[in-house]
Amino acid sequence: MTDIAPSLLSADFAFLSDEIKKVEKGGADYLHLDVMDGIFVPNITFGPPVIKKLKKITSIPFDVHLMIDKPERYIKDFVDAGADILTVHAEATTHLHRTIQEIKSHGIKAGVSLNPATPLSSIEYILEDLDLILIMTVNPGFGGQSFIKSMVDKIIDTRRLIDERNSKILLEIDGGVKLDNALELSKLGVDILVAGSAIFGAEDVVKRTKEFKNLFVK
Ligand code: DX5
Ligand code: ZN
């Protein structure tokens, strides 16, 4: 079963609580929150104070994707804000193993995200410490980009690596996921699909969330 994580990046920021209620009604499994700092990626979004407020209005688990430089500086802030999964980029932190340990010490799930050009081998030796691997299927920074086709091989390799180790690590992909490729991608063994513009760009967000969910009903 594949879970769906609508990315708030494509929501109307003037009506965040209404937007969240819509995906909640549609049956979203997670809410994906993209935090950008204008340094690691060329865009700026929101931080812990906004997430903390949003946490009060919904019970959907928060999947927080940090696209920020040196994320180790802010782990406690995001934990206190209500992150259930906290994912950092392998490219953004020098001591990735230490950063992961720090996240886990707070009792939440720790994820590592890899940019399209970053090899899977960069996390091979810390695999047993991870709860989630987030494969970027676009270059991070913006919603609405096209899925990079060569990432299919990376998804397959990641699934194989997880299975070879008999691990429970969740495999998540992010970027360019649409209604017409979601099922095919889920069949590669993806546990969580992130979809931003495909959900919040729809005229009827509740209906679109349900359409995604229905794809995976066997
Ligand atoms: C991109 C973000 C994504 C983004 C995906 O840097 O990490 O979560 O919202 O947007 P879509 O689904 O429109 O490609
Ligand atoms: Zn994201």
Side-chain angles (χ1 to χ4, degrees):
M1 191 65 164
T2 305
D3 285 336
I4 189 79
S7 163
L8 209 56
L9 184 64
S10 290
D12 185 336
F13 280 16
F15 300 96
L16 284 179
S17 64
D18 296 345
E19 297 276 67
I20 292 170
K21 293 290 172 199
K22 290 179 197 167
V23 293
E24 191 168 52
K25 203 170 166 194
D29 301 286
Y30 296 91
L31 187 69
H32 185 82
L33 296 121
D34 290 300
V35 179
M36 305 186 184
D37 66 352
I39 306 273
F40 180 69
V41 289
N43 197 1
I44 300 176
T45 54
F46 45 76
V50 173
I51 295 176
K52 195 170 193 159
K53 285 288 184 187
L54 297 178
K55 188 74 182 177
K56 293 189 199 310
I57 61 116
T58 180
S59 55
I60 310 179
F62 276 18
D63 170 32
V64 179
H65 178 194
L66 297 184
M67 284 160 277
I68 64 174
D69 192 37
K70 300 186 178 56
E72 60 274 14
R73 295 172 295 162
Y74 295 106
I75 286 165
K76 190 165 184 315
D77 297 285
F78 285 103
V79 171
D80 291 345
D84 296 284
I85 303 172
L86 193 55
T87 297
V88 297
H89 268 262
E91 307 87 1
T93 180
T94 306
H95 303 287
L96 180 58
H97 180 265
R98 180 184 290 152
T99 304
I100 292 299
Q101 300 305 326
E102 157 100 31
I103 296 172
K104 289 170 68 108
S105 75
H106 293 284
I108 64 166
K109 286 197 162 89
V112 171
S113 182
L114 302 177
N115 281 339
T118 304
L120 193 53
S121 58
S122 63
I123 52 171
E124 198 181 332
Y125 296 103
I126 59 158
L127 221 55
E128 63 187 41
D129 299 296
L130 303 182
D131 297 303
L132 179 144
I133 299 172
L134 173 54
I135 299 295
M136 288 308 301
T137 44
V138 296
N139 289 295
F142 304 95
Q145 303 179 81
S146 299
F147 182 91
I148 299 172
K149 292 208 166 55
S150 54
M151 291 302 105
V152 166
D153 284 344
K154 196 175 185 183
I155 296 167
I156 292 170
D157 290 345
T158 309
R159 181 74 263 163
R160 189 185 306 127
L161 186 65
I162 294 170
D163 292 346
E164 274 170 9
R165 306 277 181 108
N166 264 327
S167 166
K168 290 199 167 64
I169 297 174
L170 296 170
L171 171 55
E172 179 176 31
I173 67 166
D174 184 5
V177 176
K178 309 282 175 200
L179 256 189
D180 62 9
N181 63 4
L183 186 59
E184 195 186 330
L185 291 166
S186 81
K187 285 181 180 161
L188 301 175
V190 175
D191 298 299
I192 307 171
L193 285 171
V194 176
S197 52
I199 289 185
F200 287 106
E203 208 157 308
D204 187 337
V205 173
V206 179
K207 183 168 160 241
R208 180 58 57 85
T209 309
K210 283 182 184 160
E211 283 168 348
F212 268 98
K213 286 295 298 172
N214 287 339
L215 288 175
F216 312 124
V217 176
K218 290 193 185 116

mmCIF file of all heavy atoms in Angstrom, residues 7-10 32-34 36 41 65 67 89 134 136 138-147 174-178 194-199, ligand 1:
data_model
loop_
_atom_site.group_PDB
_atom_site.id
_atom_site.type_symbol
_atom_site.label_atom_id
_atom_site.label_comp_id
_atom_site.label_asym_id
_atom_site.label_seq_id
_atom_site.Cartn_x
_atom_site.Cartn_y
_atom_site.Cartn_z
ATOM 1 N N SER A 7 1.969 17.956 -0.736
ATOM 2 C CA SER A 7 2.963 18.963 -0.358
ATOM 3 C C SER A 7 2.323 20.341 -0.327
ATOM 4 O O SER A 7 1.818 20.833 -1.336
ATOM 5 C CB SER A 7 4.115 18.971 -1.362
ATOM 6 O OG SER A 7 4.842 20.172 -1.221
ATOM 7 N N LEU A 8 2.408 20.944 0.844
ATOM 8 C CA LEU A 8 1.775 22.243 1.092
ATOM 9 C C LEU A 8 2.380 23.373 0.250
ATOM 10 O O LEU A 8 1.801 24.451 0.153
ATOM 11 C CB LEU A 8 1.910 22.560 2.587
ATOM 12 C CG LEU A 8 0.854 23.423 3.245
ATOM 13 C CD1 LEU A 8 -0.540 22.854 3.065
ATOM 14 C CD2 LEU A 8 1.159 23.605 4.731
ATOM 15 N N LEU A 9 3.527 23.091 -0.362
ATOM 16 C CA LEU A 9 4.207 24.116 -1.160
ATOM 17 C C LEU A 9 3.305 24.708 -2.241
ATOM 18 O O LEU A 9 3.409 25.890 -2.560
ATOM 19 C CB LEU A 9 5.465 23.499 -1.803
ATOM 20 C CG LEU A 9 6.375 24.428 -2.598
ATOM 21 C CD1 LEU A 9 6.980 25.498 -1.688
ATOM 22 C CD2 LEU A 9 7.491 23.645 -3.282
ATOM 23 N N SER A 10 2.425 23.885 -2.794
ATOM 24 C CA SER A 10 1.560 24.371 -3.877
ATOM 25 C C SER A 10 0.195 24.838 -3.375
ATOM 26 O O SER A 10 -0.694 25.142 -4.178
ATOM 27 C CB SER A 10 1.370 23.277 -4.937
ATOM 28 O OG SER A 10 2.582 23.083 -5.630
ATOM 29 N N HIS A 32 3.063 16.900 3.759
ATOM 30 C CA HIS A 32 4.478 17.135 3.444
ATOM 31 C C HIS A 32 4.748 18.632 3.512
ATOM 32 O O HIS A 32 4.115 19.430 2.815
ATOM 33 C CB HIS A 32 4.757 16.582 2.044
ATOM 34 C CG HIS A 32 6.188 16.638 1.631
ATOM 35 N ND1 HIS A 32 7.123 15.697 2.004
ATOM 36 C CD2 HIS A 32 6.860 17.537 0.865
ATOM 37 C CE1 HIS A 32 8.290 15.988 1.477
ATOM 38 N NE2 HIS A 32 8.167 17.109 0.785
ATOM 39 N N LEU A 33 5.692 19.022 4.375
ATOM 40 C CA LEU A 33 5.970 20.445 4.587
ATOM 41 C C LEU A 33 7.391 20.757 4.123
ATOM 42 O O LEU A 33 8.365 20.262 4.706
ATOM 43 C CB LEU A 33 5.794 20.791 6.070
ATOM 44 C CG LEU A 33 4.349 20.594 6.560
ATOM 45 C CD1 LEU A 33 4.283 19.595 7.699
ATOM 46 C CD2 LEU A 33 3.735 21.914 6.984
ATOM 47 N N ASP A 34 7.496 21.571 3.084
ATOM 48 C CA ASP A 34 8.787 21.894 2.475
ATOM 49 C C ASP A 34 9.360 23.165 3.077
ATOM 50 O O ASP A 34 8.839 24.256 2.851
ATOM 51 C CB ASP A 34 8.613 22.090 0.965
ATOM 52 C CG ASP A 34 8.310 20.787 0.260
ATOM 53 O OD1 ASP A 34 9.152 19.874 0.337
ATOM 54 O OD2 ASP A 34 7.226 20.676 -0.349
ATOM 55 N N MET A 36 12.349 25.753 3.089
ATOM 56 C CA MET A 36 13.436 26.209 2.205
ATOM 57 C C MET A 36 14.037 27.496 2.745
ATOM 58 O O MET A 36 13.318 28.363 3.240
ATOM 59 C CB MET A 36 12.890 26.459 0.800
ATOM 60 C CG MET A 36 12.175 25.264 0.197
ATOM 61 S SD MET A 36 11.725 25.610 -1.502
ATOM 62 C CE MET A 36 10.812 24.107 -1.901
ATOM 63 N N VAL A 41 18.502 25.829 -1.334
ATOM 64 C CA VAL A 41 17.704 25.916 -2.566
ATOM 65 C C VAL A 41 17.355 27.391 -2.808
ATOM 66 O O VAL A 41 17.310 28.171 -1.848
ATOM 67 C CB VAL A 41 16.389 25.080 -2.463
ATOM 68 C CG1 VAL A 41 16.680 23.596 -2.494
ATOM 69 C CG2 VAL A 41 15.595 25.448 -1.219
ATOM 70 N N HIS A 65 10.232 18.222 5.352
ATOM 71 C CA HIS A 65 11.351 18.084 4.418
ATOM 72 C C HIS A 65 12.200 19.350 4.485
ATOM 73 O O HIS A 65 11.791 20.400 3.985
ATOM 74 C CB HIS A 65 10.759 17.869 3.015
ATOM 75 C CG HIS A 65 11.767 17.764 1.925
ATOM 76 N ND1 HIS A 65 11.419 17.848 0.587
ATOM 77 C CD2 HIS A 65 13.111 17.560 1.943
ATOM 78 C CE1 HIS A 65 12.500 17.699 -0.161
ATOM 79 N NE2 HIS A 65 13.539 17.535 0.637
ATOM 80 N N MET A 67 14.921 21.617 3.350
ATOM 81 C CA MET A 67 15.856 21.981 2.277
ATOM 82 C C MET A 67 16.600 23.210 2.758
ATOM 83 O O MET A 67 16.449 24.317 2.228
ATOM 84 C CB MET A 67 15.084 22.238 0.980
ATOM 85 C CG MET A 67 14.646 20.938 0.324
ATOM 86 S SD MET A 67 13.289 21.192 -0.827
ATOM 87 C CE MET A 67 11.936 21.190 0.321
ATOM 88 N N HIS A 89 18.739 16.857 4.042
ATOM 89 C CA HIS A 89 19.458 16.486 2.824
ATOM 90 C C HIS A 89 20.873 16.057 3.142
ATOM 91 O O HIS A 89 21.577 16.719 3.912
ATOM 92 C CB HIS A 89 19.473 17.668 1.836
ATOM 93 C CG HIS A 89 18.330 17.623 0.894
ATOM 94 N ND1 HIS A 89 18.444 17.125 -0.381
ATOM 95 C CD2 HIS A 89 17.029 17.956 1.068
ATOM 96 C CE1 HIS A 89 17.262 17.168 -0.970
ATOM 97 N NE2 HIS A 89 16.387 17.672 -0.117
ATOM 98 N N LEU A 134 14.311 9.640 1.216
ATOM 99 C CA LEU A 134 13.520 10.463 0.296
ATOM 100 C C LEU A 134 14.333 10.693 -0.974
ATOM 101 O O LEU A 134 15.357 11.378 -0.954
ATOM 102 C CB LEU A 134 13.170 11.802 0.960
ATOM 103 C CG LEU A 134 12.493 12.876 0.108
ATOM 104 C CD1 LEU A 134 11.246 12.354 -0.561
ATOM 105 C CD2 LEU A 134 12.148 14.078 0.955
ATOM 106 N N MET A 136 14.740 12.463 -4.323
ATOM 107 C CA MET A 136 14.225 13.611 -5.080
ATOM 108 C C MET A 136 14.139 13.231 -6.550
ATOM 109 O O MET A 136 15.134 12.792 -7.144
ATOM 110 C CB MET A 136 15.155 14.828 -4.922
ATOM 111 C CG MET A 136 15.127 15.486 -3.557
ATOM 112 S SD MET A 136 13.494 15.922 -2.937
ATOM 113 C CE MET A 136 12.892 17.046 -4.214
ATOM 114 N N VAL A 138 12.935 15.494 -8.727
ATOM 115 C CA VAL A 138 13.192 16.769 -9.418
ATOM 116 C C VAL A 138 14.335 17.416 -8.627
ATOM 117 O O VAL A 138 14.662 16.964 -7.527
ATOM 118 C CB VAL A 138 11.970 17.737 -9.382
ATOM 119 C CG1 VAL A 138 10.782 17.154 -10.139
ATOM 120 C CG2 VAL A 138 11.579 18.109 -7.953
ATOM 121 N N ASN A 139 14.915 18.478 -9.172
ATOM 122 C CA ASN A 139 15.869 19.244 -8.374
ATOM 123 C C ASN A 139 15.075 20.090 -7.391
ATOM 124 O O ASN A 139 14.148 20.799 -7.793
ATOM 125 C CB ASN A 139 16.747 20.114 -9.277
ATOM 126 C CG ASN A 139 17.721 19.276 -10.068
ATOM 127 O OD1 ASN A 139 18.614 18.643 -9.501
ATOM 128 N ND2 ASN A 139 17.532 19.216 -11.375
ATOM 129 N N PRO A 140 15.423 20.001 -6.085
ATOM 130 C CA PRO A 140 14.578 20.660 -5.089
ATOM 131 C C PRO A 140 14.560 22.177 -5.224
ATOM 132 O O PRO A 140 15.505 22.778 -5.711
ATOM 133 C CB PRO A 140 15.218 20.229 -3.761
ATOM 134 C CG PRO A 140 16.614 19.876 -4.087
ATOM 135 C CD PRO A 140 16.578 19.331 -5.486
ATOM 136 N N GLY A 141 13.473 22.763 -4.764
ATOM 137 C CA GLY A 141 13.378 24.220 -4.758
ATOM 138 C C GLY A 141 12.026 24.739 -5.211
ATOM 139 O O GLY A 141 11.571 25.766 -4.729
ATOM 140 N N PHE A 142 11.385 24.006 -6.108
ATOM 141 C CA PHE A 142 10.132 24.499 -6.675
ATOM 142 C C PHE A 142 9.142 23.371 -6.915
ATOM 143 O O PHE A 142 9.553 22.238 -7.173
ATOM 144 C CB PHE A 142 10.405 25.206 -8.015
ATOM 145 C CG PHE A 142 11.393 26.319 -7.894
ATOM 146 C CD1 PHE A 142 12.737 26.094 -8.170
ATOM 147 C CD2 PHE A 142 11.001 27.578 -7.460
ATOM 148 C CE1 PHE A 142 13.679 27.117 -8.022
ATOM 149 C CE2 PHE A 142 11.927 28.607 -7.318
ATOM 150 C CZ PHE A 142 13.271 28.370 -7.604
ATOM 151 N N GLY A 143 7.867 23.724 -6.861
ATOM 152 C CA GLY A 143 6.839 22.770 -7.245
ATOM 153 C C GLY A 143 6.608 22.853 -8.748
ATOM 154 O O GLY A 143 7.125 23.752 -9.427
ATOM 155 N N GLY A 144 5.872 21.894 -9.265
ATOM 156 C CA GLY A 144 5.441 21.959 -10.657
ATOM 157 C C GLY A 144 6.480 21.588 -11.702
ATOM 158 O O GLY A 144 6.277 21.867 -12.888
ATOM 159 N N GLN A 145 7.587 20.974 -11.300
ATOM 160 C CA GLN A 145 8.602 20.562 -12.280
ATOM 161 C C GLN A 145 8.293 19.149 -12.797
ATOM 162 O O GLN A 145 7.499 18.411 -12.210
ATOM 163 C CB GLN A 145 9.987 20.562 -11.639
ATOM 164 C CG GLN A 145 10.405 21.887 -11.024
ATOM 165 C CD GLN A 145 11.792 21.791 -10.395
ATOM 166 O OE1 GLN A 145 12.810 21.866 -11.060
ATOM 167 N NE2 GLN A 145 11.823 21.607 -9.075
ATOM 168 N N SER A 146 8.977 18.779 -13.870
ATOM 169 C CA SER A 146 8.737 17.451 -14.452
ATOM 170 C C SER A 146 9.605 16.386 -13.794
ATOM 171 O O SER A 146 10.779 16.630 -13.491
ATOM 172 C CB SER A 146 9.071 17.452 -15.943
ATOM 173 O OG SER A 146 8.259 18.371 -16.593
ATOM 174 N N PHE A 147 9.028 15.239 -13.608
ATOM 175 C CA PHE A 147 9.711 14.054 -13.080
ATOM 176 C C PHE A 147 10.946 13.747 -13.938
ATOM 177 O O PHE A 147 10.850 13.699 -15.166
ATOM 178 C CB PHE A 147 8.730 12.877 -13.120
ATOM 179 C CG PHE A 147 9.272 11.597 -12.552
ATOM 180 C CD1 PHE A 147 9.109 11.289 -11.206
ATOM 181 C CD2 PHE A 147 9.943 10.697 -13.366
ATOM 182 C CE1 PHE A 147 9.611 10.109 -10.697
ATOM 183 C CE2 PHE A 147 10.447 9.509 -12.855
ATOM 184 C CZ PHE A 147 10.274 9.213 -11.517
ATOM 185 N N ASP A 174 9.692 12.387 -4.274
ATOM 186 C CA ASP A 174 9.198 13.762 -4.218
ATOM 187 C C ASP A 174 9.576 14.511 -5.496
ATOM 188 O O ASP A 174 10.761 14.683 -5.787
ATOM 189 C CB ASP A 174 9.831 14.440 -2.986
ATOM 190 C CG ASP A 174 9.330 15.849 -2.742
ATOM 191 O OD1 ASP A 174 8.429 16.304 -3.457
ATOM 192 O OD2 ASP A 174 9.863 16.486 -1.810
ATOM 193 N N GLY A 175 8.538 14.926 -6.223
ATOM 194 C CA GLY A 175 8.762 15.778 -7.387
ATOM 195 C C GLY A 175 8.207 15.194 -8.672
ATOM 196 O O GLY A 175 8.564 14.087 -9.069
ATOM 197 N N GLY A 176 7.293 15.922 -9.290
ATOM 198 C CA GLY A 176 6.759 15.502 -10.587
ATOM 199 C C GLY A 176 5.794 14.336 -10.528
ATOM 200 O O GLY A 176 5.537 13.702 -11.548
ATOM 201 N N VAL A 177 5.260 14.058 -9.344
ATOM 202 C CA VAL A 177 4.277 12.967 -9.232
ATOM 203 C C VAL A 177 2.900 13.500 -9.610
ATOM 204 O O VAL A 177 2.436 14.504 -9.053
ATOM 205 C CB VAL A 177 4.265 12.377 -7.793
ATOM 206 C CG1 VAL A 177 3.164 11.326 -7.666
ATOM 207 C CG2 VAL A 177 5.626 11.794 -7.443
ATOM 208 N N LYS A 178 2.281 12.844 -10.571
ATOM 209 C CA LYS A 178 0.967 13.258 -11.073
ATOM 210 C C LYS A 178 0.028 12.066 -11.027
ATOM 211 O O LYS A 178 0.471 10.927 -10.830
ATOM 212 C CB LYS A 178 1.084 13.732 -12.533
ATOM 213 C CG LYS A 178 2.164 14.770 -12.777
ATOM 214 C CD LYS A 178 1.712 16.145 -12.325
ATOM 215 C CE LYS A 178 2.841 17.160 -12.465
ATOM 216 N NZ LYS A 178 2.695 18.347 -11.670
ATOM 217 N N VAL A 194 4.941 11.893 -2.632
ATOM 218 C CA VAL A 194 4.640 13.304 -2.381
ATOM 219 C C VAL A 194 4.038 13.876 -3.658
ATOM 220 O O VAL A 194 4.516 13.586 -4.750
ATOM 221 C CB VAL A 194 5.926 14.089 -2.027
ATOM 222 C CG1 VAL A 194 5.622 15.584 -1.860
ATOM 223 C CG2 VAL A 194 6.575 13.531 -0.764
ATOM 224 N N ALA A 195 2.984 14.656 -3.510
ATOM 225 C CA ALA A 195 2.415 15.343 -4.681
ATOM 226 C C ALA A 195 1.980 16.741 -4.264
ATOM 227 O O ALA A 195 1.188 16.899 -3.335
ATOM 228 C CB ALA A 195 1.230 14.564 -5.242
ATOM 229 N N GLY A 196 2.539 17.738 -4.931
ATOM 230 C CA GLY A 196 2.236 19.132 -4.595
ATOM 231 C C GLY A 196 1.265 19.741 -5.575
ATOM 232 O O GLY A 196 0.060 19.821 -5.312
ATOM 233 N N SER A 197 1.784 20.152 -6.740
ATOM 234 C CA SER A 197 0.927 20.835 -7.722
ATOM 235 C C SER A 197 -0.202 19.938 -8.219
ATOM 236 O O SER A 197 -1.288 20.432 -8.536
ATOM 237 C CB SER A 197 1.769 21.344 -8.896
ATOM 238 O OG SER A 197 2.558 20.314 -9.434
ATOM 239 N N ALA A 198 0.037 18.636 -8.268
ATOM 240 C CA ALA A 198 -1.011 17.728 -8.758
ATOM 241 C C ALA A 198 -2.209 17.697 -7.814
ATOM 242 O O ALA A 198 -3.325 17.379 -8.235
ATOM 243 C CB ALA A 198 -0.453 16.315 -8.928
ATOM 244 N N ILE A 199 -1.987 18.027 -6.553
ATOM 245 C CA ILE A 199 -3.107 18.035 -5.600
ATOM 246 C C ILE A 199 -3.626 19.461 -5.372
ATOM 247 O O ILE A 199 -4.796 19.757 -5.607
ATOM 248 C CB ILE A 199 -2.713 17.345 -4.280
ATOM 249 C CG1 ILE A 199 -2.586 15.836 -4.533
ATOM 250 C CG2 ILE A 199 -3.726 17.652 -3.172
ATOM 251 C CD1 ILE A 199 -2.330 14.982 -3.325
HETATM 252 C C1 DX5 B 1 10.379 20.488 -4.252
HETATM 253 C C2 DX5 B 1 9.618 20.015 -3.052
HETATM 254 C C3 DX5 B 1 8.426 19.214 -3.358
HETATM 255 C C4 DX5 B 1 7.398 19.930 -4.212
HETATM 256 C C5 DX5 B 1 6.883 18.931 -5.191
HETATM 257 O O1 DX5 B 1 11.604 20.978 -3.870
HETATM 258 O O2 DX5 B 1 10.450 19.236 -2.202
HETATM 259 O O3 DX5 B 1 7.841 18.646 -2.212
HETATM 260 O O4 DX5 B 1 6.320 20.469 -3.491
HETATM 261 O O5 DX5 B 1 6.049 19.575 -6.072
HETATM 262 P P1 DX5 B 1 5.371 18.831 -7.301
HETATM 263 O O6 DX5 B 1 4.608 17.676 -6.767
HETATM 264 O O7 DX5 B 1 4.532 19.907 -7.897
HETATM 265 O O8 DX5 B 1 6.515 18.406 -8.220
#
